[in-house]
Amino acid sequence: MMKRILFTITLLALVAGVHAQEAYNEAIRMAKEVADDTTKPLDERKVATFKKDALYYLGRQSYKLTPDSSVTMLDYQALALFQFINLFYGSYKMSPKKDRPAVIERFKRVSLAHPRFHDPNKEYVLAYITNAGYITQFSLDTDWVAAYNDIRHRLQK
């Protein structure tokens, strides 16, 4: 399922003539679909809820700061967000239960190291970090392209 989602977003981002924000909007649709599917495991729905919330945050902040900016940036950020979260979730699920807190911590540090908007509303952007009910303990205010490149590099070492 995760590979299908990643493939779909990648394909949408690469297709010539993609309508503005199509990949971003498709990413929101897919995240919402999984988050709302009560037949899915709870952890999977919570991960999808984070993706959806992070995408909405990214869209709102991008529009507030630069309403006339290129929407291609949103597509790249959406793709990188999915890649980052899918890499995290795969690492998390494959790790022994005793090592899972370390996986969460590693990805959390990378998320925090790459703020995109430098949003002063820490209570809001760190809501997933302060809520122990979610394994996606990442900042909403993340430059997902930079974070994904960073974590990928760290994991290759």
Side-chain angles (χ1 to χ4, degrees), residues 46-58:
K46 285 183 172 185
V47 168
T49 298
F50 175 82
K51 287 178 183 178
K52 180 182 61 142
D53 289 349
L55 288 165
Y56 282 140
Y57 173 81
L58 177 66

Side-chain angles (χ1 to χ4, degrees), residues 11-149:
L11 183 63
L12 286 173
L14 295 177
V15 172
V18 169
H19 184 267
Q21 287 186 309
E22 190 170 328
Y24 171 78
N25 290 333
E26 180 63 10
I28 290 174
R29 186 199 64 74
M30 288 188 305
K32 186 171 174 10
E33 182 180 294
V34 173
D36 295 344
D37 186 348
T38 57
T39 66
K40 300 279 186 201
L42 183 58
D43 269 355
E44 196 174 317
R45 290 186 318 203
K46 285 183 172 185
V47 168
T49 298
F50 175 82
K51 287 178 183 178
K52 180 182 61 142
D53 289 349
L55 288 165
Y56 282 140
Y57 173 81
L58 177 66
R60 279 192 314 273
Q61 290 299 106
S62 295
Y63 183 76
K64 272 191 341 190
L65 295 175
T66 53
D68 58 345
S69 71
S70 167
V71 292
T72 304
M73 178 278 303
L74 285 174
D75 291 339
Y76 288 128
Q77 287 290 321
L79 174 59
L81 166 67
F82 268 65
Q83 290 172 319
F84 182 91
I85 299 299
N86 291 345
L87 184 59
F88 161 74
Y89 196 58
S91 298
Y92 178 85
K93 292 303 258 185
M94 290 181 5
S95 295
K97 288 191 187 248
K98 67 178 180 59
D99 295 337
R100 288 179 177 177
V103 171
I104 292 170
E105 186 62 30
R106 175 184 287 164
F107 280 79
K108 175 171 64 174
R109 281 194 314 264
V110 170
S111 168
L112 289 168
H114 298 284
R116 178 154 185 83
F117 304 104
H118 302 278
D119 191 334
N121 186 352
K122 298 302 180 200
E123 183 178 346
Y124 181 74
V125 299
L126 302 179
Y128 280 89
I129 292 174
T130 59
N131 184 341
Y134 284 84
I135 62 170
T136 49
Q137 295 184 6
F138 314 127
S139 172
L140 294 174
D141 183 10
T142 297
D143 180 335
W144 296 106
V145 172
Y148 174 67
N149 288 331

